[in-house]
Amino acid sequence: MQGLPVHGDTTTGIIETKLKKICQRYADKPRYVTLYDPHKRIPVYSAYTFKKTEGDRRVDYPWMYEPQLAEIDGNGNMLPFPTGYLHMKFEDSQAVLDDYSDVVLYERGHLNPDQHQSTPHDRAATYTLTNVVPEIREFNIGPWREYEERIRLRLNNFCRGTAFIVTGVTTRGNMIRRNNQDRVAIPEDVWSAYCCTDYDRNSPHDVRIRFPSHAALAKNAKEGNSVHEMPVQELEIFLKSNMDVDQNLQIFYDNCISPSPLPLYLQHTI
């Protein structure tokens, strides 16, 4: 299966064939791409274009689900969870709000965070359960939120062109259970990488060495959860030994060295 399709041609990568590629549509427009695991009921990664923002957080968007996964005819748009009965097809194919309602340790952690988007519609589109994973609360509101803000400021200030970000997880089999059933996989690690080929060549040295691309990796844990920044190639080596991926895995087309045309399905998301 093609994997990590962000920049230019899709690259070879993720092997697992049960995964579903979701074009995350909201209000009749594609917003970003998610590779989703319907069996673990979490995204493997979300890939998106970064939009310059002030970084303020909005919390009044409704949580949504993905009709595409439940094989219901429709126009492909994500939809708010209904207040009443949910057909079993939903629960079979994806996480539902009840999966997160009684878990004290975990929060819904965005892979494509609303602070990396600017328009109300782009932000609303991040509030789908197909874009979140269970993150330990201390990690989600601590090291990972600080990292997302650091990247927001770095790309706001020093990326001149378009920045692409891929954020994903690794799992080891731990699950959130509900009604005596394994429901939602708990990530072991959270990782992220960005690519911006058109950047400020006069930026300070400690910033310049983190362009055109850089990556990060952290444990989804209460302690020992600091975020380690690293070259993208170093992250790829880690993912090759900790995920079911092709040994030719490239997160970004051409290793983010040359500007490349976006694949068709991402051209409308800038």
Side-chain angles (χ1 to χ4, degrees):
M1 178 168 179
Q2 298 297 308
L4 303 182
V6 185
H7 195 190
D9 302 335
T10 48
T11 59
T12 51
I14 306 279
I15 297 169
E16 176 61 67
T17 54
K18 301 183 193 76
L19 305 177
K20 299 274 196 300
K21 191 188 290 179
I22 302 172
C23 175
Q24 298 277 19
R25 291 178 62 87
Y26 179 78
D28 297 322
K29 186 180 170 188
R31 307 288 166 174
Y32 57 103
V33 174
T34 297
L35 189 66
Y36 193 77
D37 188 332
H39 302 281
K40 295 180 179 177
R41 298 184 183 87
I42 58 167
V44 177
Y45 67 76
S46 283
Y48 59 97
T49 49
F50 172 84
K51 320 291 195 313
K52 296 194 174 186
T53 84
E54 297 303 311
D56 52 319
R57 292 170 67 84
R58 289 281 302 276
V59 291
D60 54 350
Y61 294 118
W63 283 100
M64 291 178 278
Y65 69 93
E66 187 49 69
Q68 293 177 63
L69 291 175
E71 300 174 327
I72 288 170
D73 293 336
N75 58 11
N77 286 320
M78 59 182 77
L79 295 170
F81 276 97
T83 49
Y85 172 72
L86 262 184
H87 194 280
M88 273 305 293
K89 262 190 181 175
F90 290 108
E91 299 214 6
D92 287 345
S93 63
Q94 60 199 288
V96 295
L97 291 171
D98 279 353
D99 292 322
Y100 285 91
S101 60
D102 292 329
V103 288
V104 182
L105 289 175
Y106 302 99
E107 291 193 342
R108 289 170 282 208
H110 287 66
L111 297 188
N112 173 6
D114 66 344
Q115 311 94 290
H116 287 187
Q117 302 299 329
S118 55
T119 70
H121 278 178
D122 280 341
R123 290 184 143 195
T126 68
Y127 286 85
T128 165
L129 290 193
T130 56
N131 178 49
V132 301
V133 296
E135 286 182 4
I136 293 272
R137 184 169 190 276
E138 290 82 353
F139 170 68
N140 183 36
I141 67 173
W144 196 251
R145 183 174 296 176
E146 289 162 20
Y147 170 74
E148 288 173 338
E149 176 64 6
R150 186 157 75 241
I151 296 311
R152 185 186 72 79
L153 291 172
R154 187 181 300 165
L155 296 177
N156 264 8
N157 295 335
F158 302 107
C159 179
R160 295 282 172 264
T162 302
F164 307 97
I165 300 182
V166 189
T167 299
V169 297
T170 72
T171 55
R172 300 279 191 288
N174 293 326
M175 303 284 285
I176 288 176
R177 291 175 64 80
R178 180 166 63 86
N179 298 337
N180 294 319
Q181 284 185 313
D182 283 344
R183 285 294 301 167
V184 180
I186 300 164
E188 182 90 2
D189 309 281
V190 183
W191 53 268
S192 187
Y194 64 81
C195 166
C196 167
T197 54
D198 180 9
Y199 60 94
D200 182 358
R201 300 301 204 271
N202 297 315
S203 56
H205 176 72
D206 65 323
V207 172
R208 207 162 58 244
I209 59 173
R210 291 177 169 86
F211 281 96
S213 65
H214 215 53
L217 179 65
K219 287 276 174 218
N220 180 31
K222 212 167 198 168
E223 296 169 346
N225 56 12
S226 54
V227 179
H228 301 283
E229 288 204 54
M230 60 187 66
V232 172
Q233 284 74 16
E234 198 176 314
L235 174 63
E236 289 169 345
I237 290 168
F238 173 84
L239 295 181
K240 285 172 194 176
S241 57
N242 287 274
M243 289 179 74
D244 187 13
V245 296
D246 190 292
Q247 290 308 297
N248 299 320
L249 169 72
Q250 269 192 12
I251 293 178
F252 297 113
Y253 173 72
D254 202 18
N255 281 325
C256 186
I257 292 165
S258 56
S260 309
L262 280 170
L264 282 172
Y265 56 82
L266 275 185
Q267 280 177 355
H268 305 294
T269 64
I270 297 177

